[in-house]
Amino acid sequence: MRAWKWLGLAGILAGVATGAAIARDERVRRHYDAAEIRERLHRRHDEAVAREAGDPPPAG
């Protein structure tokens, strides 16, 4: 029975750690301004189009 208690505690701690990591990532993501987000999305789109066409990704 003691092992189940440790397993339960480990599961709870894993859930807390996952929630903390998600919250940290969300805070980092919200610090982008609109221009930075737009530029990153355009760059990712250009890379995806180049990958579809078989071209090397654009530099920069």
Side-chain angles (χ1 to χ4, degrees):
M1 192 62 162
R2 189 172 179 162
W4 287 109
K5 288 181 184 179
W6 284 109
L7 187 60
L9 180 61
I12 290 170
L13 291 176
V16 169
T18 301
I22 290 171
R24 183 185 63 230
D25 289 343
E26 182 68 18
R27 282 194 307 271
V28 169
R29 185 186 65 81
R30 288 179 185 235
H31 278 66
Y32 292 124
D33 65 354
E36 288 175 316
I37 293 171
R38 189 176 309 109
E39 187 271 327
R40 288 177 61 154
L41 286 173
H42 283 292
R43 186 172 0 137
R44 287 176 59 191
H45 176 264
D46 292 341
E47 290 171 0
V49 169
R51 232 183 349 261
E52 286 286 321
D55 299 334

